[in-house]
Amino acid sequence: MSHASISMRQDKAAKQSLGRDPRMMVLRLRTLIALFILVVIFAFTAPAFLTTGNIIILVKQVALNAILGIGMTFVILTGGIDLSVGSIVGLAGMIAGGLITEGLILPMFGVSIFFNIPLVIAFTLIVGMVVGLLNGLIITKLNVTPFIATLGMLYMARSAALLRSNGATFPNLVGSDLLGNTGFPAIGAGTLMGLPWAIWIMVVFIFIASFVAARTPFGRQVYAVGGNERAAELSGVRVNRVKILAYMISGFCAAVVGLIITSQLVAAHPATGNSYELNAIAVVVLGGASLSGGRGSILGTIIGAFVIGVLNNGMVLIGLSEFVQTGITGFVIVAAVVLDQSQQRLQRQLALQQATAQVLDTQQGKEVA
Amino acid sequence: MSAQAPISPDEILLQAKQVTKVYPGTVALKNVDFNIYRGKVNVLIGENGAGKTTLMKILAGVEQASSGQLLMDGKEIHVSSPRDANRHGIGIIYQELNLYPNLSVSENIFMSHELTRFGTIREKDQYAIARDLMRRLEQDIDPNTIVGDLRIGQQQIIEIAKALAQNVRILIMDEPTSALSNIEVEVLFRIIRELKTQDVAIVYISHKLDELLQIGDYFTVLRDGALVAETHAGAINLNWIVEKMVGRRADSLFKHSEHKIEQEILQVNDLTLPRVGGGYVVDHVSFSLRAGEVVGIYGLMGAGRTELLESLMGLNSEARGAIILNGRNIAGLDIKSRIALGLSLVPEDRQLRGLIQKLSVSHNITLASLSRYLRMLALSSRLERASVRYEIDELRIKVANPDDLISSLSGGNQQKVVVGKSLLTNPKVLMLDEPTRGIDVAAKGEIFEIINQLALNGLGVLFVSSELKEVMAMADRVLVMWKGCITAELQKHEISQEAIAAASVGTQTSPETNTTQEAIR
Ligand SMILES: Nc1ncnc2c1ncn2[C@@H]1O[C@H](COP(=O)(O)OP(=O)(O)OP(=O)(O)O)[C@@H](O)[C@H]1O
Ligand SMILES: [Mg+2]
């Protein structure tokens, strides 16, 4: 039995030194390092990059992708995908814009009711969640694969946004004192301690979402469903409910983004948010999530959002043509996933090498002694 | 203790010398020597996590040894991929099923060495060969059947067929019979004997010890990754195996204690589960279970035992009938509610139903009892860790670190994790479907000890097993199933090998069982 305790001690030593190995650190923090390198490159090539003004603009941009990405992370963790978020962004804007400009029209009474801004926001968010709920119901109850279900919803929600105004824009959403619905532009323009609200909203979302994903039963169940649905089911996880909730969260996040953009523009345009779903998926994947579900994290997604944000912002500043920019963004996404794959392999190999070296070392030591 | 002289005149076909395999956190093999004799059945034994599968994976080119060498016919060979192993004529039946559930039986059998002509697959020939293999294995399975539609035991047979379809010199079988019942095991043994006459060397791993004594020619024992003994069949008996394996004597295992059987806790009335093509998989089953009672359900492969337990748990929405748990009809409730009311199932197929491979050991153990660790809104990692520790100690799960992925555990230890998960839900009625599948003797003893203890604490235990001995040793009462029906109900004093075996093939021995049958019809 004595050799068992020796090997235990070896194991512990191996594990400790493993954490400290610089090569392992590099691998684990690769996305952060990539982000840092990008920042350094742009700091040198574009003088305007590190100015306070630019950084705020940059983070404000990042916030949109980050919030969408947070919702998408939950969906992707369950092993699904949500292609409808871009359309929900557009629909949410049109719902809010319509409520402010025209109110809720009740044709049978020939009146329309105007709400104050908090109610407008609440109503819009509910619409976002209802679309998510529909996604979830179609996927779970009608057994449609997530890709198809949300692809259909991409078209349907966009159509609803266009129908709301017959394709027109709701301009100048300042509201009127008379109707008691002023103040909408504050979401986009307002600041707190010098930072735009969008950034604060993102920060709050990061905290809540990280907590939910890592510390609550729901979060654990999301990972479980993505990892092995049938085993999760037998463990008493209400698989359908977890999936539906994930799509509702995604719809909610998309509606928030829709509100922020509409407010920033002080106008609602039905084409807003076109192809945003692709950005959202990109940041989640950049953050190390697996599209087959069960692996990924909120923090990873946030870092992914920053990588895309810094890249886009920096490339504009150094004056790269838009055509080149798109290509580079695409390249980075593929490269990140390739790196992620090789990182996992490398990490395993490194761990093995180290453990082996340790054991063989101690064996030799014993022989010498 | 290592490097022994050859112990017989038989010819060594493959020799592993001083093989060491290190995993992060574990030394799975320490300077192990292993000889494989031509035309013999080379048995490898050891507790869960002893390193058996690891050694086999090295021979099969799936894993690389950290140090050591392999000699084939006395010459050193390098097996760095499954393809290499194939070239050297080494075939393997893996412990965990490795099939494509979406493909047909014959497609699975010929996966990656398809029979082709001008680049197209010769479907007809593949079908014919697959059909012959099924006949040879005495299975009534059409090669066009989709593998996912087969029961787990049948899937294991497909794994065997897959290995037989290739011409191998060495065939490794890592727990090939864990999901098979006696009849299929007999068939497999017949085939093994055939292969021996063709000079194929077999490596055989199993935790069913009497099987080993029946079929084995050479025995190698591993303990904690190290070689403990190598000998030939003439020199040993069951006690020797157990003693070498666990380091203590066997007779302390499998003891039945008197349970205090109390009030009825579960009553099942007229439970049916329709079969897709008509008829019933579970055919109007009625029985009851009392608190403190251990009821064993015996039957052959396909008797409907798994489906019965799954229907009780709520996994089959087409199931009809009354399930009364503690006076409350739970038919129609979802799984979560049934768990909350005190029902829990340890499933037969741990890969499919039991475990989440992408999660850690500890997250797997606590998955079914998350609400227990809820403080305010968050899961308390302190409470979770305590529960995980408790189960790891209680079930003696061999794990380097509870935060490691579940897939880094040996097969038997994974099984223990599934059991631990069920226990943490505080069940009133615990159902176990082949709970000892892939578990070593000592751990079997532990699991049964736990079942005993749970019964003493007033739980009702319902367990399915294909091992007569287990059922006879453990159960206060035995239900025998055949073709979806309960064909016999035997009280403790009526339990006998003959009675159980007869009922399991639908023949009746006693007038009592006769009436049971008539009542059902
Ligand atoms: N990929 C891996 N990473 C880390 N440890 C591993 C890995 N695979 C196996 N191990 C460890 O190596 C040891 C030997 O495992 P192995 O699967 O060979 O056991 P076994 O003898 O086949 O047991 P069982 O009877 O339960 O199947 C175990 O402690 C296991 O946890
Ligand atoms: Mg094994």
Side-chain angles (χ1 to χ4, degrees):
Chain A
M1 276 292 96
S2 70
H3 62 266
S5 63
I6 291 171
S7 76
M8 285 284 269
R9 239 176 293 144
Q10 285 167 5
D11 297 347
K12 225 176 244 163
K15 206 155 269 156
Q16 277 167 7
S17 72
L18 212 61
R20 270 189 254 115
D21 186 316
R23 290 176 301 178
M24 287 295 262
M25 292 290 275
V26 169
L27 284 175
R28 202 165 304 142
L29 302 176
R30 70 201 181 284
T31 330
L32 260 185
I33 291 168
L35 181 60
F36 181 74
I37 293 173
L38 278 180
V39 169
V40 171
I41 291 176
F42 290 131
F44 280 103
T45 51
F49 182 72
L50 276 188
T51 58
T52 319
N54 185 54
I55 290 175
I56 290 182
I57 292 174
L58 191 163
V59 181
K60 212 163 97 177
Q61 277 304 314
V62 167
L64 300 180
N65 276 339
I67 295 170
L68 285 180
I70 285 172
M72 188 68 79
T73 306
F74 283 103
V75 170
I76 286 181
L77 279 177
T78 65
I81 191 104
D82 188 352
L83 297 176
S84 67
V85 293
S87 299
I88 300 178
V89 168
L91 178 62
M94 293 308 288
I95 297 287
L99 282 177
I100 293 170
T101 312
E102 297 177 351
L104 185 63
I105 304 166
L106 300 174
M108 51 285 206
F109 303 113
V111 293
S112 43
I113 306 167
F114 286 87
F115 301 107
N116 62 15
I117 296 303
L119 280 176
V120 168
I121 292 173
F123 194 81
T124 308
L125 294 178
I126 288 172
V127 169
M129 285 196 286
V130 168
V131 179
L133 175 69
L134 285 176
N135 277 333
L137 288 174
I138 295 170
I139 290 162
T140 57
K141 304 287 173 198
L142 304 181
N143 255 328
V144 180
T145 56
F147 190 97
I148 308 289
T150 60
L151 181 67
M153 190 56 77
L154 177 152
Y155 289 114
M156 291 188 279
R158 183 64 70 194
S159 163
L162 287 160
L163 284 172
R164 180 69 189 81
S165 63
N166 273 325
T169 303
F170 289 118
N172 200 24
L173 300 175
V174 289
S176 81
D177 281 326
L178 213 69
L179 299 170
N181 61 0
T182 54
F184 185 66
I187 306 172
T191 59
L192 180 67
M193 300 197 302
L195 296 180
W197 281 16
I199 295 179
W200 289 112
I201 295 174
M202 170 180 74
V203 171
V204 171
F205 271 50
I206 294 173
F207 275 105
I208 296 179
S210 302
F211 177 82
V212 169
R215 301 290 311 280
T216 65
F218 170 73
R220 190 71 61 76
Q221 291 174 346
V222 166
Y223 282 92
V225 168
N228 180 354
E229 207 175 304
R230 314 218 323 159
E233 183 189 13
L234 184 58
S235 296
V237 175
R238 289 181 163 136
V239 174
N240 286 353
R241 196 179 292 188
V242 168
K243 284 189 187 172
I244 292 172
L245 266 173
Y247 287 94
M248 288 176 73
I249 293 173
S250 181
F252 178 85
C253 290
V256 169
V257 171
L259 284 169
I260 295 175
I261 294 179
T262 309
S263 170
Q264 282 171 348
L265 299 172
V266 203
H269 185 69
T272 305
N274 205 354
S275 83
Y276 278 22
E277 59 279 351
L278 299 181
N279 293 339
I281 296 167
V283 302
V284 175
V285 171
L286 266 178
S290 146
L291 279 186
S292 60
R295 193 165 72 88
S297 74
I298 299 293
L299 214 62
T301 297
I302 301 304
I303 295 173
F306 270 91
V307 170
I308 294 270
V310 167
L311 197 62
N312 288 343
N313 178 285
M315 288 192 301
V316 171
L317 287 184
I318 59 175
L320 278 185
S321 105
E322 203 179 312
F323 308 143
V324 178
Q325 283 183 33
T326 317
I328 292 183
T329 309
F331 174 78
V332 167
I333 293 170
V334 176
V337 175
V338 172
L339 212 85
D340 191 58
Q341 299 291 338
S342 53
Q343 179 257 350
Q344 283 173 40
R345 220 179 23 244
L346 257 168
Q347 194 161 328
R348 234 176 292 139
Q349 274 173 10
L350 263 176
L352 256 179
Q353 264 178 27
Q354 288 214 344
T356 313
Q358 288 252 340
V359 172
L360 296 183
D361 269 3
T362 37
Q363 265 181 10
Q364 271 167 11
K366 256 187 270 169
E367 273 158 32
V368 172
Chain B
M1 124 180 153
S2 47
Q4 290 172 336
I7 50 174
S8 85
D10 284 317
E11 191 186 344
I12 296 178
L13 181 53
L14 184 77
Q15 191 174 19
K17 273 185 143 174
Q18 294 291 301
V19 172
T20 295
K21 174 70 190 176
V22 183
Y23 284 116
T26 326
V27 185
L29 296 170
K30 294 167 207 157
N31 300 324
V32 170
D33 291 331
F34 180 50
N35 298 325
I36 300 177
Y37 295 87
R38 186 191 303 277
K40 300 287 167 194
V41 176
N42 304 268
V43 166
L44 188 58
I45 31 190
E47 289 181 286
N48 295 131
K52 304 180 296 294
T53 299
T54 307
L55 184 56
M56 293 309 108
K57 281 184 175 163
I58 289 171
L59 299 185
V62 182
E63 295 275 1
Q64 307 307 310
S66 310
S67 67
Q69 54 178 177
L70 301 179
L71 304 177
M72 191 168 222
D73 295 322
K75 284 191 285 289
E76 173 154 17
I77 58 165
H78 295 275
V79 187
S80 50
S81 69
R83 197 168 275 273
D84 278 353
N86 233 315
R87 226 170 9 133
H88 289 296
I90 304 174
I92 180 164
I93 300 168
Y94 290 103
Q95 180 173 15
E96 307 298 345
L97 295 173
N98 247 316
L99 297 167
Y100 299 89
N102 55 331
L103 300 182
S104 74
V105 168
S106 69
E107 281 165 331
N108 265 285
I109 289 177
F110 291 98
M111 179 52 69
S112 83
H113 40 94
E114 292 82 0
L115 304 178
T116 56
R117 181 185 299 127
F118 309 125
T120 53
I121 294 179
R122 284 151 52 199
E123 307 250 6
K124 275 224 184 72
D125 295 347
Q126 289 198 5
Y127 181 91
I129 296 177
R131 200 191 43 213
D132 289 345
L133 279 170
M134 287 303 117
R135 287 219 186 104
R136 201 167 146 206
L137 287 160
E138 297 178 20
Q139 286 299 309
D140 184 21
I141 302 172
D142 178 25
N144 284 334
T145 318
I146 298 299
V147 162
D149 294 340
L150 296 177
R151 288 185 305 272
I152 181 161
Q154 292 177 312
Q155 294 190 13
Q156 205 161 36
I157 294 210
I158 307 303
E159 282 283 2
I160 295 168
K162 222 169 85 181
L164 293 179
Q166 305 167 52
N167 280 323
V168 291
R169 302 176 67 195
I170 299 179
L171 182 54
I172 300 169
M173 303 184 172
D174 195 350
E175 301 195 31
T177 58
S178 64
L180 301 186
S181 54
N182 294 350
I183 294 179
E184 291 93 29
V185 174
E186 281 311 318
V187 174
L188 179 66
F189 282 5
R190 202 200 67 228
I191 288 170
I192 289 180
R193 290 190 191 104
E194 270 172 40
L195 290 171
K196 276 171 68 174
T197 63
Q198 298 158 17
D199 259 2
V200 175
I202 312 278
V203 179
Y204 195 89
I205 299 176
S206 173
H207 290 294
K208 300 182 177 176
L209 301 185
D210 21 347
E211 261 177 23
L212 301 179
L213 288 171
Q214 207 181 327
I215 196 81
D217 297 311
Y218 287 92
F219 291 78
T220 304
V221 187
L222 294 180
R223 195 194 304 157
D224 255 343
L227 178 71
V228 207
E230 187 199 334
T231 185
H232 58 93
I236 61 164
N237 57 25
L238 199 87
N239 283 340
W240 181 89
I241 295 182
V242 177
E243 218 174 298
K244 285 290 177 221
M245 221 166 117
V246 292
R248 65 187 145 98
R249 293 193 59 82
D251 38 34
S252 62
L253 308 167
F254 273 147
K255 59 171 186 284
H256 181 87
S257 42
E258 276 311 306
H259 301 141
K260 199 162 143 259
I261 294 168
E262 292 175 37
Q263 81 290 356
E264 191 172 278
I265 188 166
L266 177 74
Q267 199 195 342
V268 178
N269 282 332
D270 231 11
L271 190 75
T272 57
L273 179 67
R275 186 188 295 281
V276 184
Y280 294 101
V281 192
V282 177
D283 196 352
H284 299 90
V285 166
S286 304
F287 68 95
S288 72
L289 177 72
R290 292 166 174 278
E293 187 182 31
V294 178
V295 169
I297 304 181
Y298 183 81
L300 300 181
M301 231 169 89
R305 300 163 301 165
T306 295
E307 290 80 0
L308 171 62
L309 294 196
E310 286 182 351
S311 302
L312 293 176
M313 198 62 217
L315 279 166
N316 295 323
S317 55
E318 309 84 34
R320 295 288 169 272
I323 305 166
I324 294 147
L325 178 67
N326 261 334
R328 180 163 169 198
N329 191 350
I330 59 166
L333 294 184
D334 71 357
I335 298 169
K336 182 173 180 159
S337 319
R338 294 186 201 210
I339 291 176
L341 289 171
L343 201 59
S344 189
L345 170 65
V346 174
E348 178 182 31
D349 186 340
R350 62 170 171 265
Q351 299 303 323
L352 195 69
R353 283 274 185 206
L355 296 171
I356 295 173
Q357 300 291 350
K358 286 177 177 173
L359 296 187
S360 65
V361 172
S362 73
H363 285 187
N364 267 291
I365 292 187
T366 57
L367 183 63
S369 53
L370 286 176
S371 52
R372 271 175 71 169
Y373 320 109
L374 204 56
R375 289 293 171 274
M376 307 291 280
L377 288 171
L379 293 167
S380 154
S381 41
R382 191 178 51 80
L383 293 177
E384 260 192 280
R385 259 202 309 275
S387 283
V388 170
R389 259 288 129 231
Y390 179 81
E391 290 302 336
I392 287 179
D393 290 345
E394 174 91 6
L395 299 171
R396 290 194 224 158
I397 302 174
K398 191 178 170 202
V399 52
N401 178 347
D403 294 328
D404 287 349
L405 284 184
I406 186 85
S407 47
S408 72
L409 260 55
S410 78
N413 283 299
Q414 294 187 11
Q415 178 70 14
K416 292 187 193 174
V417 168
V418 184
V419 175
K421 178 170 73 173
S422 267
L423 293 183
L424 278 178
T425 63
N426 276 334
K428 306 233 169 10
V429 171
L430 181 61
M431 304 188 287
L432 307 108
D433 197 349
E434 305 280 2
T436 57
R437 190 172 160 233
I439 282 191
D440 67 48
V441 257
K444 261 181 209 171
E446 282 159 21
I447 296 240
F448 282 127
E449 190 53 47
I450 287 164
I451 290 179
N452 252 330
Q453 199 53 49
L454 293 171
L456 289 175
N457 294 345
L459 258 82
V461 178
L462 200 57
F463 80 101
V464 162
S465 176
S466 301
E467 285 196 59
L468 260 177
K469 262 171 65 190
E470 274 183 26
V471 176
M472 291 174 53
M474 282 307 300
D476 297 310
R477 185 154 56 96
V478 177
L479 303 175
V480 185
M481 282 185 81
W482 175 68
K483 292 195 175 169
C485 305
I486 293 185
T487 46
E489 178 178 345
L490 306 166
Q491 301 298 332
K492 185 84 200 163
H493 64 271
E494 302 170 320
I495 298 176
S496 74
Q497 196 155 344
E498 294 71 37
I500 294 179
S504 69
V505 289
T507 41
Q508 300 88 40
T509 45
S510 67
E512 285 167 62
T513 47
N514 247 330
T515 48
T516 326
Q517 272 248 310
E518 272 160 18
I520 290 164
R521 286 291 145 82

